[in-house]
Short mmCIF file of all heavy atoms in Angstrom, two decimals:
data_model
loop_
_atom_site.label_atom_id
_atom_site.label_comp_id
_atom_site.label_asym_id
_atom_site.label_seq_id
_atom_site.Cartn_x
_atom_site.Cartn_y
_atom_site.Cartn_z
N HIS Y 6 92.47 119.04 106.82
CA HIS Y 6 93.17 119.73 105.73
C HIS Y 6 92.96 118.91 104.47
O HIS Y 6 93.23 117.71 104.45
CB HIS Y 6 94.65 119.84 106.09
CG HIS Y 6 95.49 120.46 105.04
ND1 HIS Y 6 95.37 121.78 104.68
CD2 HIS Y 6 96.46 119.94 104.27
CE1 HIS Y 6 96.24 122.04 103.72
NE2 HIS Y 6 96.91 120.95 103.45
N VAL Y 7 92.46 119.52 103.42
CA VAL Y 7 92.18 118.82 102.16
C VAL Y 7 93.29 119.11 101.16
O VAL Y 7 93.72 120.26 101.01
CB VAL Y 7 90.81 119.28 101.59
CG1 VAL Y 7 90.53 118.59 100.27
CG2 VAL Y 7 89.71 119.00 102.59
N PHE Y 8 93.74 118.05 100.48
CA PHE Y 8 94.78 118.20 99.47
C PHE Y 8 94.65 117.06 98.47
O PHE Y 8 94.05 116.03 98.77
CB PHE Y 8 96.18 118.19 100.12
CG PHE Y 8 96.43 117.02 101.01
CD1 PHE Y 8 96.93 115.82 100.50
CD2 PHE Y 8 96.15 117.09 102.37
CE1 PHE Y 8 97.15 114.74 101.32
CE2 PHE Y 8 96.36 116.00 103.19
CZ PHE Y 8 96.87 114.82 102.67
N PRO Y 9 95.20 117.19 97.26
CA PRO Y 9 95.11 116.13 96.26
C PRO Y 9 95.96 114.92 96.65
O PRO Y 9 96.97 115.05 97.36
CB PRO Y 9 95.62 116.77 94.98
CG PRO Y 9 96.23 118.07 95.35
CD PRO Y 9 95.84 118.39 96.75
N ALA Y 10 95.57 113.75 96.16
CA ALA Y 10 96.29 112.52 96.46
C ALA Y 10 97.75 112.60 96.02
O ALA Y 10 98.62 112.00 96.66
CB ALA Y 10 95.61 111.34 95.77
N SER Y 11 98.04 113.36 94.99
CA SER Y 11 99.41 113.49 94.51
C SER Y 11 100.34 114.15 95.53
O SER Y 11 101.55 114.02 95.44
CB SER Y 11 99.44 114.28 93.19
OG SER Y 11 98.91 115.58 93.39
N GLU Y 12 99.77 114.84 96.53
CA GLU Y 12 100.57 115.50 97.57
C GLU Y 12 100.69 114.67 98.84
O GLU Y 12 101.34 115.10 99.80
CB GLU Y 12 99.96 116.86 97.92
CG GLU Y 12 100.05 117.87 96.81
CD GLU Y 12 99.42 119.19 97.19
OE1 GLU Y 12 99.19 119.44 98.39
OE2 GLU Y 12 99.13 119.98 96.27
N LEU Y 13 100.11 113.47 98.88
CA LEU Y 13 100.09 112.69 100.11
C LEU Y 13 101.49 112.38 100.64
O LEU Y 13 101.75 112.53 101.83
CB LEU Y 13 99.31 111.38 99.91
CG LEU Y 13 99.17 110.50 101.16
CD1 LEU Y 13 98.47 111.26 102.28
CD2 LEU Y 13 98.42 109.23 100.82
N GLU Y 14 102.40 111.98 99.77
CA GLU Y 14 103.76 111.65 100.22
C GLU Y 14 104.44 112.84 100.89
O GLU Y 14 105.14 112.69 101.89
CB GLU Y 14 104.61 111.14 99.06
CG GLU Y 14 104.19 109.74 98.62
CD GLU Y 14 105.05 109.21 97.51
OE1 GLU Y 14 104.80 109.59 96.35
OE2 GLU Y 14 105.97 108.43 97.81
N ALA Y 15 104.21 114.04 100.38
CA ALA Y 15 104.79 115.24 100.99
C ALA Y 15 104.07 115.57 102.30
O ALA Y 15 104.69 115.96 103.29
CB ALA Y 15 104.71 116.41 100.03
N GLN Y 16 102.76 115.39 102.34
CA GLN Y 16 101.97 115.74 103.52
C GLN Y 16 102.31 114.87 104.73
O GLN Y 16 102.27 115.36 105.86
CB GLN Y 16 100.47 115.63 103.22
CG GLN Y 16 99.96 116.65 102.23
CD GLN Y 16 99.90 118.05 102.82
OE1 GLN Y 16 99.70 118.24 104.02
NE2 GLN Y 16 100.09 119.04 101.97
N ILE Y 17 102.64 113.60 104.53
CA ILE Y 17 102.92 112.73 105.68
C ILE Y 17 104.28 113.02 106.32
O ILE Y 17 104.57 112.51 107.40
CB ILE Y 17 102.83 111.23 105.35
CG1 ILE Y 17 103.92 110.81 104.36
CG2 ILE Y 17 101.45 110.87 104.86
CD1 ILE Y 17 104.16 109.33 104.34
N GLN Y 18 105.08 113.86 105.68
CA GLN Y 18 106.37 114.20 106.26
C GLN Y 18 106.20 115.14 107.46
O GLN Y 18 107.12 115.33 108.25
CB GLN Y 18 107.29 114.86 105.22
CG GLN Y 18 107.48 114.04 103.96
CD GLN Y 18 107.94 112.61 104.19
OE1 GLN Y 18 108.80 112.34 105.01
NE2 GLN Y 18 107.35 111.69 103.45
N VAL Y 19 105.00 115.70 107.61
CA VAL Y 19 104.69 116.62 108.70
C VAL Y 19 103.72 115.94 109.66
O VAL Y 19 102.70 115.39 109.23
CB VAL Y 19 104.06 117.93 108.15
CG1 VAL Y 19 103.70 118.88 109.27
CG2 VAL Y 19 105.01 118.58 107.15
N ARG Y 26 108.38 115.26 110.78
CA ARG Y 26 108.56 113.99 111.48
C ARG Y 26 110.04 113.72 111.69
O ARG Y 26 110.86 114.02 110.83
CB ARG Y 26 107.93 112.84 110.70
CG ARG Y 26 106.43 112.94 110.67
CD ARG Y 26 105.82 111.68 110.10
NE ARG Y 26 104.39 111.82 109.97
CZ ARG Y 26 103.53 111.64 110.96
NH1 ARG Y 26 103.95 111.27 112.15
NH2 ARG Y 26 102.24 111.81 110.76
N ARG Y 30 113.12 111.14 105.98
CA ARG Y 30 111.98 111.11 105.04
C ARG Y 30 111.30 109.75 105.06
O ARG Y 30 111.95 108.71 105.03
CB ARG Y 30 112.49 111.45 103.64
CG ARG Y 30 111.37 111.56 102.64
CD ARG Y 30 111.78 112.39 101.44
NE ARG Y 30 110.69 112.49 100.50
CZ ARG Y 30 109.69 113.36 100.60
NH1 ARG Y 30 109.65 114.20 101.60
NH2 ARG Y 30 108.72 113.39 99.70
N ILE Y 31 109.98 109.76 105.06
CA ILE Y 31 109.19 108.53 105.08
C ILE Y 31 108.81 108.16 103.65
O ILE Y 31 108.27 108.98 102.91
CB ILE Y 31 107.94 108.70 105.94
CG1 ILE Y 31 108.37 108.91 107.38
CG2 ILE Y 31 107.00 107.51 105.81
CD1 ILE Y 31 107.30 109.37 108.30
N ASP Y 32 109.14 106.94 103.26
CA ASP Y 32 108.79 106.41 101.94
C ASP Y 32 107.44 105.72 102.08
O ASP Y 32 107.34 104.62 102.61
CB ASP Y 32 109.86 105.43 101.47
CG ASP Y 32 109.53 104.80 100.13
OD1 ASP Y 32 108.53 105.18 99.49
OD2 ASP Y 32 110.28 103.89 99.72
N LEU Y 33 106.38 106.38 101.63
CA LEU Y 33 105.03 105.87 101.80
C LEU Y 33 104.84 104.49 101.17
O LEU Y 33 104.19 103.63 101.74
CB LEU Y 33 104.03 106.87 101.23
CG LEU Y 33 102.55 106.59 101.45
CD1 LEU Y 33 102.23 106.47 102.94
CD2 LEU Y 33 101.71 107.67 100.82
N PHE Y 77 102.15 105.29 112.77
CA PHE Y 77 100.95 106.07 112.50
C PHE Y 77 100.30 105.52 111.23
O PHE Y 77 100.96 104.93 110.39
CB PHE Y 77 101.26 107.57 112.36
CG PHE Y 77 102.20 107.91 111.25
CD1 PHE Y 77 101.72 108.32 110.01
CD2 PHE Y 77 103.58 107.83 111.43
CE1 PHE Y 77 102.60 108.63 108.98
CE2 PHE Y 77 104.46 108.15 110.41
CZ PHE Y 77 103.96 108.54 109.18
N VAL Y 79 97.83 106.05 107.78
CA VAL Y 79 97.45 107.03 106.77
C VAL Y 79 96.49 106.35 105.81
O VAL Y 79 96.77 105.26 105.32
CB VAL Y 79 98.69 107.49 105.97
CG1 VAL Y 79 98.31 108.49 104.90
CG2 VAL Y 79 99.76 108.05 106.88
N GLU Y 80 95.33 106.98 105.57
CA GLU Y 80 94.45 106.43 104.54
C GLU Y 80 95.03 106.78 103.18
O GLU Y 80 95.35 107.93 102.91
CB GLU Y 80 93.03 106.95 104.63
CG GLU Y 80 92.18 106.28 103.56
CD GLU Y 80 90.70 106.61 103.59
OE1 GLU Y 80 90.26 107.36 104.48
OE2 GLU Y 80 90.00 106.10 102.71
N THR Y 81 95.18 105.76 102.33
CA THR Y 81 95.83 105.96 101.03
C THR Y 81 94.95 105.53 99.86
O THR Y 81 95.45 105.31 98.76
CB THR Y 81 97.16 105.16 100.99
OG1 THR Y 81 96.86 103.77 101.18
CG2 THR Y 81 98.13 105.64 102.04
N ALA Y 83 92.84 106.97 97.70
CA ALA Y 83 92.99 107.72 96.45
C ALA Y 83 94.41 107.64 95.92
O ALA Y 83 94.64 107.54 94.71
CB ALA Y 83 92.59 109.18 96.66
N TRP Y 84 95.40 107.65 96.82
CA TRP Y 84 96.80 107.57 96.43
C TRP Y 84 97.11 106.23 95.78
O TRP Y 84 97.83 106.18 94.77
CB TRP Y 84 97.69 107.79 97.66
CG TRP Y 84 99.15 107.81 97.37
CD1 TRP Y 84 99.88 108.85 96.88
CD2 TRP Y 84 100.08 106.75 97.60
NE1 TRP Y 84 101.20 108.50 96.78
CE2 TRP Y 84 101.36 107.20 97.22
CE3 TRP Y 84 99.96 105.46 98.10
CZ2 TRP Y 84 102.49 106.41 97.31
CZ3 TRP Y 84 101.08 104.67 98.19
CH2 TRP Y 84 102.34 105.15 97.80
N GLU Y 85 96.59 105.14 96.32
CA GLU Y 85 96.83 103.81 95.74
C GLU Y 85 96.29 103.77 94.32
O GLU Y 85 96.92 103.22 93.43
CB GLU Y 85 96.16 102.71 96.58
CG GLU Y 85 96.62 102.62 98.02
CD GLU Y 85 98.07 102.21 98.23
OE1 GLU Y 85 98.71 101.69 97.30
OE2 GLU Y 85 98.57 102.43 99.34
N SER Y 87 95.82 106.37 92.22
CA SER Y 87 96.63 107.21 91.34
C SER Y 87 98.00 106.57 91.10
O SER Y 87 98.56 106.67 90.02
CB SER Y 87 96.79 108.62 91.90
OG SER Y 87 97.51 108.62 93.10
N LYS Y 88 98.54 105.88 92.10
CA LYS Y 88 99.82 105.20 91.97
C LYS Y 88 99.71 104.07 90.93
O LYS Y 88 100.59 103.90 90.09
CB LYS Y 88 100.24 104.64 93.33
CG LYS Y 88 101.58 103.97 93.37
CD LYS Y 88 101.90 103.60 94.82
CE LYS Y 88 103.11 102.73 94.94
NZ LYS Y 88 102.93 101.37 94.49
N ASN Y 91 99.71 105.55 87.48
CA ASN Y 91 101.06 105.98 87.09
C ASN Y 91 101.92 104.79 86.72
O ASN Y 91 102.67 104.83 85.76
CB ASN Y 91 101.73 106.77 88.21
CG ASN Y 91 101.21 108.19 88.29
OD1 ASN Y 91 100.64 108.70 87.35
ND2 ASN Y 91 101.41 108.81 89.43
N VAL Y 97 97.12 110.94 86.41
CA VAL Y 97 96.80 110.94 87.82
C VAL Y 97 95.46 111.61 88.03
O VAL Y 97 95.23 112.72 87.56
CB VAL Y 97 97.88 111.72 88.64
CG1 VAL Y 97 97.48 111.81 90.08
CG2 VAL Y 97 99.22 111.05 88.49
N ASP Y 98 94.53 110.93 88.72
CA ASP Y 98 93.25 111.52 89.12
C ASP Y 98 93.28 111.71 90.61
O ASP Y 98 93.85 110.92 91.34
CB ASP Y 98 92.08 110.58 88.80
CG ASP Y 98 91.83 110.49 87.31
OD1 ASP Y 98 92.29 111.38 86.58
OD2 ASP Y 98 91.17 109.53 86.88
N THR Y 99 92.68 112.78 91.10
CA THR Y 99 92.60 113.01 92.54
C THR Y 99 91.17 113.09 92.96
O THR Y 99 90.28 113.30 92.20
CB THR Y 99 93.32 114.31 92.93
OG1 THR Y 99 92.81 115.39 92.16
CG2 THR Y 99 94.80 114.17 92.74
#
Side-chain angles (χ1 to χ4, degrees):
H6 177 67
V7 178
F8 53 87
S11 60
E12 292 179 17
L13 182 58
E14 288 182 279
Q16 292 288 330
I17 66 161
Q18 306 307 318
V19 179
R26 292 190 185 278
R30 185 158 181 82
I31 295 168
D32 178 6
L33 187 57
F77 61 96
V79 179
E80 182 175 358
T81 60
W84 183 80
E85 301 294 343
S87 65
K88 183 174 171 288
N91 283 341
V97 175
D98 289 341
T99 54

